[in-house]
Structure formats: C-alpha cells, structure tokens
Amino acid sequence: MRLVDRMDNTPIEVPRGLTNVVVTETELSDVRGQEGFFHYRQYSATDLARQCTIEQVWGLLLDGELLAPGHMHPFSDSVRSASALSSSLSSHLPGLARSASDGDPIALLKTALALDGAQRKTPPLYDQEPGERRDAVIAVAAEFPTLTAALWRLRRGLPAVAPRGDLGYVADYLFMLTGSEAADEHVAALSAYLVAAIDHGFNASTFTARVIASTGADATSCFLGALGALSGPLHGGAPSRALETLDAIGHPDNIDAWVTAQISDGKRIMGFGHPVYRTEDPRSALMKEVALRFDSPRVRFAVQVEERVTGLLAELKPGRHLHANVEWYAAIVMEICGIPPELFTSTFACARALGWAANILEQARDPKIIRPSARYVGEPAPVPIPAGVL
Amino acid sequence: MRLVDRMDNTPIEVPRGLTNVVVTETELSDVRGQEGFFHYRQYSATDLARQCTIEQVWGLLLDGELLAPGHMHPFSDSVRSASALSSSLSSHLPGLARSASDGDPIALLKTALALDGAQRKTPPLYDQEPGERRDAVIAVAAEFPTLTAALWRLRRGLPAVAPRGDLGYVADYLFMLTGSEAADEHVAALSAYLVAAIDHGFNASTFTARVIASTGADATSCFLGALGALSGPLHGGAPSRALETLDAIGHPDNIDAWVTAQISDGKRIMGFGHPVYRTEDPRSALMKEVALRFDSPRVRFAVQVEERVTGLLAELKPGRHLHANVEWYAAIVMEICGIPPELFTSTFACARALGWAANILEQARDPKIIRPSARYVGEPAPVPIPAGVL
C-alpha cells in the first residue's frame, strides 16, 4: 500500500463527502471520466459486455483471469449451485412476499437475504480462509436474481420458478421471472447491460460494502449495507425514471415544450447527466447500440428524444456536457426484455452484487478497519448537568 | 461547514482506513482519548449515565435539549408507541425465530428489521420532512429491544412479551426478556451501561449509518448497514468475550499463569485495551462502580482479575497503557441483570441504535453523498480481449 502512514492524531481536512479522497487501492476497475472510458481489470468493460458472458466477467473480477468458455465449468457450476435456494429459505418466501405485497422489491430482497444469513450462520470474513470467503460472497450474490424473481412472482400470486441450471446466468434470470425460456436476442441484450453494470468505480454502495467488510463482518452484512446504499436516490441506478421521462413526453411533437418547461422549473431530466462523465457515458453508447438491434417504435422514440434533449441541453445549459446516461437506453433494453419497471433497480442490483462480491474479497485481504473521524462543533463540554433536570 | 472545497479532481492521499480523516462535523458527541473523557453534546456521557434516564439522553441527542423528567411526556409517549410492534410484523416472528433458531441473534434482528422496513414502505430520507424523518428513525431504533427480546424468547419456545408501556425503556427491555418486572437496582445498573453505550465518537457502525444516510436511502437501510458493521469483530462491542476470559481463568490462583501464557502466545486478553483511550476508559470506571453496588463473588473475582491483569500488562507490555475496557465490567453488569451472554452484543446494539438515529438525522440535514475514491493499481488498461477466450 502506498497510502500515507501517520503516527500523530492531527485531524486531516478533506473535501465534503470525501470527494477524491483515496480510501483504498484496487485492482478491480476504474472509470476515466474525462475520456469516457471504464474498465474491469485490464479490459474495456463495454468490450467485455459485448463479447463475454457474465460468468466470464465475474470470474475475471473475482479471480483475476478471463477464462475461455470451455474452461468456465468449475466456476459456472459453483455459481449455478449457489443460485438455487435452500428449502428452508424457499419455504419462507411466500409468507414474506404476502406480508409486504405492496412493499418495495429491494426491501423484500433485503429481508430474504437477511433471513438467509441468519439460517446460514456464515462466520465473520476475517475468520474465514480465502476459499471459504470466496464461496461465501458467491453464495450471497448468486441469490440476488433467484430471490428477485421468486419474490416478484410470489407477490403476484404466481408460483416461484427455480433456476434451470442448464441455462446461463442471464437466461436463467429471465426464465425465473417469466417461467419461459427467453429469446436469444433478449438474453444477449440484457447480458450486455448487466455486464456493464457490475461495477463502476468506487460508487457509494461499493464503498459501503467495503466499510462493512473492513470490520470483518460476515458476507451477508456487507451485501445488506450495500443494497441499502444503492437504494438511496443519490446513488443512482433507478432506470425506470428514464421511462417516466419518455411517458411524460409521450409524443415527438411535445419534446421541446416539455424539456424547456422542466429546465425553466429547475428540474432534472431523468436519464440525462452523470457526475463523473464529461463526455458520452460509454455504457449509454453501448446500451443505445443494443437497443438499436430491435426494430421498435419505442426505440425510435427514445432516439428522437435523446437527440433533441441533448441538443436543447447544450443550448440551455452550455458547458454542462449533459448526455444520456446509462439509465436512458438501459430502461428501454430492460423493457424490451420483458422486465417490469418495478424491477429495474433490483435488476441493476443483481449485476452490482457481483461487483460487491469482488470488492468485499479485495477489502478482506487487507484487514484494517475503515474508521474516519468527525470534528465536534457542538457546545463546549463539559457543562454540569443542570439540577433542574434531575 | 468548514471542510475544504476543491474544484479539481486530484486524488487526495490520506492514511489507511481513513484514520483521523475528518469526514463530517458533528454536534452530537466526542471522545477525548488522551483525557479519558467523552461527552454527549455539552454533558459528560458518564455523568448522564449516572443521573439521567435513557429517554432523557436520547432526547438530548435527537433534539439538543436535556429535559426534566416532568417534561419528557411527549417524547416518552412517542418512544413507547414506537416500541410496540405492528401485528403484521409480530405475526411473522415465530416463523422467523423457528427457521433460524440456532442463528446469531443479530442476524435474526436484521431479518425482522428488514421485514418491518418492507411492510412500512418508509420513503427515502431526502423525500421526508424533518419531523417525518425524526419519526422514522425513532420508529426503527425503538424496535431494537422489543425485537431482540421477542426473537430470543420465541427461539426458546417461549411466547413473546409485549412492552408494558408503564415501565421505562430499560425496565421494559428486561420485562420483555424475562416476562417479570426487574428489580430497581438491575434497571439502574443496566440503564447506566446503555446510556454510556449510545454513542462513542465516530465508530465504524455510526460511520456506516451516515454513509448510507448520505445516499438518501430510507431509515431502515441505514440501521441495517450499521448493524452489519457493528457485528464485525474489529468493531468491538462483544462484551461476552470478557466473561470468557473470567471463565478461562476460573480461580484467582490461575491469573498469573493464564495471563503470562496468553501474552507469550501473542494473544489478546479480551476485556482489556482500547484503540482510542490511553488512560482508563471512563465507561469502564463507570461500569466498575455500578458492578460494585452488587455484593457478589463474581464481581470480587472480576476486580481481582482486573487488578492483577493491569499490573501484569504494565510489566509485560510497558508503555502500552492497557486497561480494562468497557466490555470488562459491562459483561458482569449484564450478567447480574439477567441478560443471557448470547444477547450482550444485541443489548449493546439496542443502545447504539439510539445514537445511530441521531447521527442519521444529523447526516440527512446536509444532503451530500459520501463517496470517496479508489486508486486503480491493477494491470494497465485497455488490453484487447484475447481471441482465445471468445
């Protein structure tokens, strides 16, 4: 580690929100916002999304090696067996789904993950050998799609569908959601999105997973905290908002009036702009390319809106470099693949969980608690307790 | 905020684990490790623990004012009603407790809290008015004792006991655990521990709660993440380990041999030493004073061990200032009050949850995501994807 070591206790001043503060070194991924480029280890993440399976890319992140499909067997097998739920967990899902049937799918997913953690009794990360720790994070992450699909179906009174096993990870997710085998082009399209969503620099949920991992807590605790952070509106990753923009505009003739009104009301246009990218978001370009594989009026409308909104934003907010973000075309792609908008964030979480798994393992290799400090700026202490309150 | 503002994207180097990095300003509490002093707002925390009820101190942390008992009614009423469980949550607890009957009590508590969050559908923090946000964190924190006690009893085949309401917060916890009213001296002793455990500087679980709050996620998400961090072995807060030290020694005659063997094996003596205090831990002094109110052979043995261990540590580890930490006498006090050792960490969490509530509210007043960065130190990118893996 090249990070500075200090022996004294002098408080160290940094920007609010720890912006640009280097909290760790990572070999997993990086975002180059100025270049519009991001990568998983040494490979372009969008190239991986176009050309590799999600199992290959997850293996790359976890183990550092990009294996050929013919050599994926041991890893794919362990993922496949981890994605099947235990009968003791499965037996509780109908009751949980019923009892919070109009609750947020992410909140229900947290409940099921927590119950799974209580049933498994996974030891703290620091008490595990590296191999056990790897198994533990794979076990939790691989349940995300199974639980998401099962809870969704159960809430709607449909029976849960178990993973098939002979399908790949992405095809199996669509199968568990709908109960029937998805078309190849849907699997490929969703796979591109999910691979591109596995990781994205040091986002707030990944940071949360690593803070919890740094205390040595068990794998489930890290995922639960990360999922909580991901559910926050400032985290990003609610692609269904992009569909709301499309629906609010409704027709190409309304674009200009709607966008101008939003901007003069000081409102954001959901699906546009990103805190890191100052150029086109490479994930957005990928998702547009994937969406354009489908001959659909919805895609054509999204392209029209994107072009016009980008032009208007450049005019009305000069210098702000506001482009369509990943949510814009990701929403269209998920819609085409048959994923209900209520599950867009959960689907994003299914992908990001794979990145959390790799980040938790990386953090646990360096057992040092992440524990910053705060400056007390309240009333000077001590003041005697007033007799009147005793 | 006096924190530095920077416009460029230069990475900022800080110590590993963010040690001494000022991540926020707080008016809630502070620890002065060199002085052996810590305070909640302007008052000594241990004085508060000796003289005030936990409701008074929680109100002080949440609202900034230490009210006289006669003025506590509106707040006590809202805490009381928040500590009662909804029937839809209660109806699920027997099934949850059965299904993970040998699981960790903290993992079960997380499950119940997550289910409660799914049923409540609490909005994101940033979508709430300050009053709603305050209600939301009180609602979650006040369920900790009720859920801890109910799940514990249900796991052992006993019926859950609802909060009585006419008892105070601490007395009600003991009542819900045992089903009978606790002796006043037990209530006072446990109250002193719980008040002293509400907050303690910027510990890792509090930091986690604030990171998740900073994304704007809902209250339940913040508590779940914090509870995960608290469960990590590096967080501290597993007072039952102190009893294990006492039991391992067994008899005063064995102290020297046992301690010398532990130290020559390079092992820690659980119940001694703290990362921040270089003097006696003021919480430990308080807990010793509380323990000594009870005429018990166990207390006398703990005092003997403490005195001899402190002496031996000063001799064998000169300059390390190793004193009994809060866990040492807290364990004895909880044991005397009838709390099962398996629930010591949960009981600690019941107290710390009150501090998280205040920290979440403080964080949410300053809507800025806490999102540091990481330095990529992996293989240089991009490298073309090898044809052999496609």
Side-chain angles (χ1 to χ4, degrees):
Chain A
M1 299 290 283
R2 283 181 290 148
L3 302 182
V4 188
D5 252 324
R6 285 168 69 125
M7 299 306 290
D8 62 279
N9 287 314
T10 327
I12 299 166
E13 302 298 318
V14 294
R16 273 182 75 212
L18 299 179
T19 309
N20 297 320
V21 171
V22 178
V23 70
T24 191
E25 296 182 336
T26 181
E27 300 184 355
L28 295 176
S29 79
D30 198 25
V31 175
R32 302 187 197 152
Q34 300 294 330
E35 297 168 46
F37 176 69
F38 83 115
H39 56 98
Y40 298 155
R41 300 200 182 261
Q42 66 268 48
Y43 305 112
S44 153
T46 46
D47 284 354
L48 290 168
R50 283 184 187 93
Q51 300 179 58
C52 296
T53 66
I54 200 164
E55 289 93 332
Q56 284 180 293
V57 179
W58 196 18
L60 167 71
L61 284 169
L62 287 173
D63 302 325
E65 217 181 336
L66 187 62
L67 297 176
H71 294 105
M72 285 300 296
H73 278 303
F75 181 65
S76 302
D77 288 351
S78 64
V79 171
R80 190 175 301 122
S81 90
S83 67
L85 306 178
S86 72
S87 58
S88 57
L89 181 58
S90 296
S91 67
H92 278 277
L93 299 184
L96 296 179
R98 246 195 324 275
S99 96
S101 60
D102 58 348
D104 171 44
I106 297 273
L108 262 177
L109 174 60
K110 276 181 218 156
T111 310
L113 289 171
L115 177 58
D116 179 57
Q119 292 180 337
R120 276 180 200 275
K121 300 175 288 170
T122 315
L125 289 170
Y126 292 154
D127 292 351
Q128 294 176 306
E129 297 300 317
E132 294 171 325
R133 216 183 275 151
R134 181 173 171 279
D135 289 348
V137 297
I138 291 173
V140 181
E143 284 181 347
F144 273 60
T146 317
L147 288 171
T148 298
L151 290 165
W152 174 252
R153 289 179 62 89
L154 291 165
R155 284 169 64 180
R156 298 157 65 89
L158 300 167
V161 172
R164 266 258 298 261
D166 61 315
L167 303 170
Y169 199 74
V170 177
D172 227 350
Y173 177 48
L174 290 170
F175 176 72
M176 293 186 287
L177 266 180
T178 62
S180 55
E181 230 175 289
D184 287 346
E185 61 266 30
H186 289 165
V187 175
L190 183 61
S191 178
Y193 167 61
L194 293 177
V195 170
I198 289 178
D199 203 1
H200 199 251
F202 214 60
N203 54 88
S205 58
T206 297
F207 176 52
T208 303
R210 292 186 75 134
V211 168
I212 299 175
S214 83
T215 70
D218 71 323
T220 299
S221 294
C222 306
F223 284 92
L224 280 177
L227 198 49
L230 179 136
S231 70
L234 292 200
H235 183 286
S240 59
R241 296 182 294 204
L243 293 189
E244 286 160 21
T245 299
L246 275 187
D247 291 338
I249 296 175
H251 190 276
D253 293 350
N254 304 336
I255 301 176
D256 285 35
W258 189 86
V259 171
T260 315
Q262 286 288 109
I263 292 176
S264 66
D265 288 358
K267 291 187 187 153
R268 281 190 57 201
I269 317 255
M270 288 305 175
F272 290 80
H274 190 273
V276 175
Y277 290 111
R278 290 291 157 267
T279 59
E280 188 175 45
D281 182 337
R283 300 171 298 178
S284 176
L286 168 70
M287 285 296 100
K288 182 174 186 175
E289 172 193 315
V290 169
L292 286 169
R293 293 179 197 160
F294 300 89
D295 180 26
S296 128
R298 187 74 155 169
V299 174
R300 286 190 292 274
F301 182 44
V303 172
Q304 271 184 302
V305 173
E306 185 221 339
E307 285 170 358
R308 189 66 195 127
V309 169
T310 309
L312 281 168
L313 286 171
E315 220 170 87
L316 299 169
K317 303 229 168 204
R320 290 287 302 282
H321 306 288
L322 294 166
H323 298 268
N325 58 36
V326 60
E327 295 184 350
W328 187 252
Y329 287 106
I332 303 288
V333 166
M334 284 195 269
E335 187 179 55
I336 289 172
C337 295
I339 295 174
E342 298 92 327
L343 292 189
F344 285 3
T345 302
S346 305
T347 304
F348 168 53
C350 289
R352 190 54 58 91
L354 309 186
W356 296 334
N359 274 279
I360 293 164
L361 290 188
E362 190 176 66
Q363 188 66 40
R365 270 180 226 122
D366 177 32
K368 162 86 179 167
I369 195 165
I370 299 176
R371 187 195 187 286
S373 78
R375 182 187 302 105
Y376 180 72
V377 295
E379 296 286 308
V383 162
I385 299 176
V389 308
L390 300 177
Chain B
M1 300 289 284
R2 283 182 290 148
L3 303 181
V4 187
D5 253 323
R6 286 168 69 125
M7 299 308 289
D8 61 279
N9 287 314
T10 327
I12 299 166
E13 303 299 318
V14 294
R16 275 182 73 212
L18 298 179
T19 310
N20 297 320
V21 170
V22 178
V23 70
T24 191
E25 295 182 335
T26 181
E27 299 183 355
L28 296 175
S29 80
D30 198 25
V31 175
R32 303 187 197 153
Q34 300 294 329
E35 297 168 45
F37 176 69
F38 83 114
H39 56 98
Y40 298 154
R41 299 197 183 266
Q42 64 269 48
Y43 305 112
S44 153
T46 48
D47 284 355
L48 290 168
R50 281 183 188 92
Q51 301 178 57
C52 295
T53 66
I54 201 165
E55 289 92 333
Q56 284 180 292
V57 180
W58 195 19
L60 166 71
L61 284 168
L62 286 174
D63 303 324
E65 218 182 336
L66 187 63
L67 297 176
H71 295 106
M72 285 300 297
H73 277 303
F75 181 64
S76 302
D77 289 349
S78 64
V79 170
R80 192 175 300 122
S81 90
S83 68
L85 306 178
S86 71
S87 59
S88 58
L89 181 58
S90 297
S91 68
H92 278 277
L93 299 184
L96 294 179
R98 248 195 323 274
S99 96
S101 59
D102 58 349
D104 171 44
I106 296 273
L108 262 177
L109 175 59
K110 276 181 219 157
T111 309
L113 289 171
L115 177 59
D116 178 57
Q119 291 180 338
R120 276 180 200 276
K121 298 175 287 169
T122 316
L125 290 169
Y126 292 154
D127 292 352
Q128 293 176 307
E129 297 302 317
E132 294 170 326
R133 216 184 275 152
R134 180 173 171 281
D135 290 346
V137 297
I138 291 173
V140 181
E143 283 181 346
F144 273 61
T146 318
L147 287 171
T148 298
L151 290 166
W152 174 252
R153 289 179 62 88
L154 290 165
R155 283 169 63 180
R156 298 157 64 88
L158 300 166
V161 172
R164 267 258 298 262
D166 62 314
L167 303 169
Y169 200 73
V170 176
D172 228 350
Y173 177 49
L174 289 170
F175 176 72
M176 292 187 286
L177 266 180
T178 63
S180 56
E181 230 176 288
D184 287 346
E185 61 266 31
H186 289 165
V187 174
L190 183 62
S191 180
Y193 167 60
L194 294 176
V195 171
I198 290 178
D199 203 2
H200 197 252
F202 214 60
N203 55 87
S205 57
T206 297
F207 176 52
T208 303
R210 291 184 76 131
V211 168
I212 299 175
S214 83
T215 71
D218 71 322
T220 298
S221 294
C222 305
F223 284 92
L224 280 177
L227 198 48
L230 179 136
S231 70
L234 292 200
H235 185 283
S240 60
R241 295 182 293 204
L243 293 189
E244 288 160 21
T245 298
L246 275 187
D247 291 338
I249 295 174
H251 190 277
D253 292 349
N254 304 336
I255 301 177
D256 285 36
W258 189 87
V259 171
T260 315
Q262 287 288 109
I263 292 177
S264 66
D265 289 357
K267 290 188 186 151
R268 280 190 58 200
I269 316 252
M270 288 306 174
F272 289 81
H274 190 273
V276 174
Y277 290 111
R278 291 290 158 266
T279 60
E280 190 176 42
D281 182 335
R283 300 170 299 176
S284 176
L286 169 70
M287 285 296 99
K288 182 174 186 174
E289 172 193 316
V290 170
L292 286 168
R293 293 179 198 160
F294 299 90
D295 179 26
S296 129
R298 187 74 156 170
V299 173
R300 287 191 292 275
F301 182 43
V303 172
Q304 272 184 299
V305 173
E306 185 220 338
E307 285 170 359
R308 190 65 196 128
V309 169
T310 309
L312 281 169
L313 285 172
E315 220 171 88
L316 299 169
K317 304 229 166 203
R320 291 285 303 280
H321 306 288
L322 294 166
H323 297 269
N325 59 37
V326 61
E327 296 184 349
W328 187 252
Y329 287 105
I332 303 288
V333 167
M334 283 195 269
E335 188 179 55
I336 290 172
C337 294
I339 295 173
E342 298 92 326
L343 291 189
F344 284 4
T345 303
S346 306
T347 303
F348 168 54
C350 289
R352 190 55 56 90
L354 309 186
W356 296 334
N359 274 279
I360 293 164
L361 289 187
E362 189 176 68
Q363 187 65 41
R365 270 180 225 121
D366 177 31
K368 161 86 179 168
I369 195 166
I370 299 177
R371 187 195 187 286
S373 80
R375 182 186 303 106
Y376 180 72
V377 294
E379 297 286 309
V383 163
I385 298 175
V389 307
L390 299 177

